[in-house]
Amino acid sequence: MINPDALEAGPYPNDLSPENVSAREPIRVPEHGVLGRMGQAPGRMGASPIPTSKKEKTLSDYLLDVQDLKIYFKVKAGHVHAVDGVNFAVKPGEKIAIVGESGCGKSVTALSIMRLVAQPPGEYAGGNIYFEEDDLLTYSEREMQKIRGGRIGMIFQDPLTCLNPTMTIGKQIMEGLQIHLKLSKDDARQRAIALLEQVGIPAPVERFNSYPHQFSGGMRQRVMIAVALACNPKLLIADEPTTALDVTVQAQILELINGVCAEFGTALILITHDLGVVAGMADRVIVMYAGEVMEEATTDEIFSNPRHPYTIGLLASVSRLDEARQGELRTIEGAPPDLLQPPSGCPFMARCYFARSICRQKPPLDPISGNSAHRKACWFDTTDPKERAYADRRLQARQAAQKAAVSEVTNILQGE
């Protein structure tokens, strides 16, 4: 892991030292301050309460608009900042993907939209979740029951633990239809059988009375999709829907989700850590790290022109079949920060080869020059050759130190 305290000391090439770089290209703090548009952190733990008023600007262009969302978990040692100031929006019919390594806050963000974060230990510490211009954080539990499964559907990671083992899959699909659409028992049964057929369950009439344990993993996931889509929701949240499935079944499930969303115009939030899935599914990508959004852009832009060092690291760690092997597979060294005591500045600073002292201040999530739809939370232009040279030299120095350490240990062992 990179030592932040050594950033200004070097050793670095003379022309790329932090002092010289700062003198050559000074960092300009935006007018809205180092904290950016997020402002001060609202919350129920010593800060201002959650605002309940609607946004000043119109929300009509968005189906979902998440603003400065903060989800904390109270433990004996303090509060875990699982989601810390997340902002994004989804248009009707749009498909977005939220990516990042395990523990970055993807699933908690998805659960918070459905208001399924257990309280306690979870706390909605701040922010707003606007769905069709209404703030879901102001809804009562009874009001949320009308939203879940009706206007917002969700596909969970493990269908075996989410489906009721004591109920047939037919009854579980019928339940939502009778509650939200007020269908009769016979109509709900016919609709459930049609859904099973639509998601590719063979012999749907016979399998209607089967229990979850009588299905394979891929078939259970198809049942979960049928449950989530039963009431034609406007938004579908898929939380790593292909986890623990083999490759061929994964492709079938993703093709099914993609086709259903296209057919009914359903907006999609896909939670995943598989960048290959993202490339073929999403219109737009949100990259999360340590509970915060690091970068947001269209899918093509993220893959062809990544601007945040973390996004660059993620893409570099994926093997390419269309290129010759150039050496060892790249990794992102180090570990994510302790979210019990999150850093006051950029959370990726300790693992970043572009980092300098300015990174001790949190960068705003601002548009890059020339593309207002591409936003990144980084002080530096990672496409600048001088910035790249600075990062490459730090990486080479790190690799040289590692090789020296390995050589030293080897010599000691051989000497014994």
Side-chain angles (χ1 to χ4, degrees):
M1 183 174 292
I2 300 170
N3 180 9
D5 295 330
L7 290 177
E8 296 185 355
Y12 307 115
N14 292 332
D15 61 328
L16 291 174
S17 65
E19 293 81 6
N20 290 342
V21 170
S22 299
R24 182 186 70 238
E25 188 176 354
I27 300 297
R28 293 182 174 85
V29 177
E31 294 181 358
H32 44 72
V34 170
L35 291 179
R37 298 188 180 95
M38 296 180 183
Q40 296 181 347
R44 297 176 182 171
M45 290 176 283
S48 59
I50 296 176
T52 57
S53 61
K54 296 182 180 180
K55 292 176 61 178
E56 293 182 2
K57 68 176 184 179
T58 178
L59 294 169
S60 59
D61 292 338
Y62 300 111
L63 178 66
L64 177 75
D65 192 358
V66 178
Q67 301 177 13
D68 199 23
L69 180 64
K70 294 178 173 65
I71 308 294
Y72 300 163
F73 289 92
K74 187 175 182 181
V75 296
K76 289 184 178 179
H79 289 90
V80 177
H81 295 219
V83 176
D84 204 5
V86 165
N87 294 271
F88 67 91
V90 183
K91 295 180 179 179
E94 186 180 26
K95 292 178 289 186
I96 74 166
I98 302 179
V99 302
E101 60 192 282
S102 297
C104 71
K106 307 185 300 295
S107 294
V108 175
T109 300
L111 291 172
S112 67
I113 296 172
M114 298 287 281
R115 291 278 302 277
L116 291 176
V117 175
Q119 301 179 75
E123 297 183 11
Y124 288 85
N128 306 86
I129 303 174
Y130 292 100
F131 180 72
E132 295 185 321
E133 303 194 19
D134 294 322
D135 188 356
L136 297 184
L137 294 185
T138 66
Y139 274 27
S140 65
E141 179 60 25
R142 182 178 294 274
E143 290 173 319
M144 281 304 303
Q145 289 175 0
K146 298 177 182 179
I147 297 291
R148 302 186 191 113
R151 293 156 63 188
I152 304 178
M154 186 164 183
I155 305 170
F156 296 91
Q157 289 188 31
D158 185 2
L160 185 60
T161 59
C162 295
L163 293 171
N164 190 329
T166 67
M167 292 176 62
T168 64
I169 57 107
K171 287 185 177 180
Q172 296 188 57
I173 299 174
M174 287 175 58
E175 186 178 39
L177 294 169
Q178 292 176 295
I179 292 174
H180 295 291
L181 301 185
K182 309 300 181 184
L183 297 184
S184 66
K185 185 176 181 179
D186 290 340
D187 290 341
R189 176 185 172 84
Q190 294 303 316
R191 168 68 174 158
I193 292 174
L195 282 165
L196 290 176
E197 183 177 9
Q198 185 177 12
V199 298
I201 299 293
V205 177
E206 290 77 12
R207 302 309 297 271
F208 178 87
N209 292 316
S210 299
Y211 290 88
H213 71 273
Q214 296 175 302
F215 289 81
S216 65
M219 288 298 163
R220 281 195 293 265
Q221 196 62 282
R222 290 175 184 271
V223 172
M224 278 295 303
I225 294 172
V227 173
L229 295 173
C231 300
N232 295 327
K234 294 185 177 181
L235 174 65
L236 177 64
I237 302 173
D239 186 7
E240 301 198 32
T242 58
T243 298
L245 300 179
D246 61 60
V247 175
T248 56
V249 176
Q250 284 184 21
Q252 294 170 6
I253 294 298
L254 293 172
E255 183 180 357
L256 174 61
I257 295 174
N258 207 17
V260 170
C261 289
E263 181 179 354
F264 295 101
T266 306
L268 173 68
I269 298 178
L270 176 66
I271 310 294
T272 184
H273 59 267
D274 189 337
L275 292 173
V277 169
V278 171
M281 286 282 292
D283 302 319
R284 198 155 47 86
V285 179
I286 296 169
V287 181
M288 285 188 65
Y289 179 78
E292 301 180 25
V293 175
M294 297 289 100
E295 188 166 6
E296 177 185 1
T298 62
T299 304
D300 290 342
E301 185 77 3
I302 283 287
F303 280 89
S304 64
N305 186 28
R307 291 300 190 93
H308 195 283
Y310 178 61
T311 309
I312 295 172
L314 284 180
L315 294 172
S317 65
V318 178
S319 58
R320 297 287 298 269
L321 298 179
D322 58 342
E323 294 180 357
R325 183 172 178 177
Q326 299 178 351
E328 295 182 357
L329 191 64
R330 292 278 298 273
T331 61
I332 302 177
E333 295 184 2
D338 181 5
L339 297 184
L340 274 169
Q341 297 178 328
S344 59
C346 175
F348 192 60
M349 177 182 179
R351 305 171 73 182
C352 180
Y353 290 101
F354 289 87
R356 298 190 184 89
S357 58
I358 186 65
C359 299
R360 293 189 176 94
Q361 302 174 5
K362 189 176 293 294
L365 184 65
D366 276 350
I368 66 173
S369 177
N371 188 348
S372 60
H374 189 163
R375 302 188 299 163
K376 67 180 179 71
C378 182
W379 292 113
F380 305 107
D381 179 5
T382 54
T383 63
D384 187 332
K386 293 181 179 179
E387 302 290 354
R388 286 185 175 274
Y390 171 86
D392 289 341
R393 289 178 184 272
R394 293 193 66 202
L395 173 61
Q396 292 168 7
R398 175 66 174 174
Q399 291 174 338
Q402 289 176 336
K403 289 181 180 179
V406 171
S407 177
E408 183 178 354
V409 172
T410 301
N411 293 334
I412 293 176
L413 293 176
Q414 290 176 348
E416 294 179 353

